[in-house]
Amino acid sequence: RTSAEAAAVRGLPLASGAKTMLLKHKKKGDFRVVVVSACERIDNKKMRKAICRDLRAASEEEVFEVTGARPGAVPPFGSLYRKPVPTFMDLSLRAQGDTISFNVGLKTESVAMAQADFERIEQPAVVDVVEAAS
């Protein structure tokens, strides 16, 4: 379930991976997806300021219902989910290099693609939501 485990399956460094997290609005019940570098941690305070204040992580059941994938295997394309959701991409993806790799619905299957192609295809809102380097 961890990004490190996914990187090991891919045979790629952790820093090349994209971590996808489905979020649910606590009051409205709608969803958003945030994609960050796999070697980063989301700063909840920054996330709530950049995306929405009333968010929580989606449950395992909600993740499957919305995306068709289990946690740890969710691809970063919110527009293609069973129930399409807005996609937010952290700046950390741009900082990690020209290529990103991510799971494609299974924890054992992944794809690597040009980071610029991901942005062109998905057109995510770009945000700064990861913890500051210490």
Side-chain angles (χ1 to χ4, degrees), residues 1 7 9-10 24-26 29-30 41 44 46 49 53 56 58-59 75 81 83 86 93 102 117 131-132:
R1 286 185 98 169
V9 168
R10 292 183 196 113
K24 183 176 184 178
H25 192 284
K26 293 176 184 176
D30 59 336
R41 292 179 52 99
N44 287 327
K46 287 172 77 174
K49 185 175 181 182
R53 199 179 75 179
R56 66 165 176 80
S59 69
Y81 295 165
K83 298 178 180 179
L93 280 182
F102 50 87
D117 288 343
E131 293 178 354

Side-chain angles (χ1 to χ4, degrees), residues 22-26 29-32 54-58 62:
L22 186 67
L23 306 167
K24 183 176 184 178
H25 192 284
K26 293 176 184 176
D30 59 336
F31 295 88
R32 292 133 175 92
D54 295 320
L55 294 175
R56 66 165 176 80
E62 290 166 336

Side-chain angles (χ1 to χ4, degrees):
R1 286 185 98 169
T2 70
S3 297
E5 290 168 342
V9 168
R10 292 183 196 113
L12 296 170
L14 180 61
S16 71
K19 179 168 40 180
T20 305
M21 183 175 181
L22 186 67
L23 306 167
K24 183 176 184 178
H25 192 284
K26 293 176 184 176
K27 296 176 183 171
K28 295 180 184 177
D30 59 336
F31 295 88
R32 292 133 175 92
V33 66
V34 63
V35 186
V36 303
S37 171
C39 59
E40 300 290 347
R41 292 179 52 99
I42 293 174
D43 180 319
N44 287 327
K45 195 173 191 178
K46 287 172 77 174
M47 180 188 66
R48 287 185 176 103
K49 185 175 181 182
I51 300 173
C52 178
R53 199 179 75 179
D54 295 320
L55 294 175
R56 66 165 176 80
S59 69
E60 191 168 338
E61 294 78 23
E62 290 166 336
V63 170
F64 185 74
E65 180 183 320
V66 172
T67 70
R70 299 287 178 201
V74 177
F77 294 93
S79 64
L80 300 178
Y81 295 165
R82 289 178 175 170
K83 298 178 180 179
V85 301
T87 301
F88 295 83
M89 180 194 86
D90 185 75
L91 290 168
S92 60
L93 280 182
R94 288 180 178 165
Q96 74 182 17
D98 295 335
T99 303
I100 62 169
S101 50
F102 50 87
N103 290 341
V104 290
L106 298 171
K107 294 177 187 177
T108 57
E109 300 293 329
S110 63
V111 168
M113 72 184 301
Q115 195 277 327
D117 288 343
F118 167 71
E119 283 194 56
R120 182 180 48 79
I121 293 165
E122 185 61 11
Q123 300 182 344
V126 179
V127 293
D128 177 12
V129 296
V130 298
E131 293 178 354
S134 51

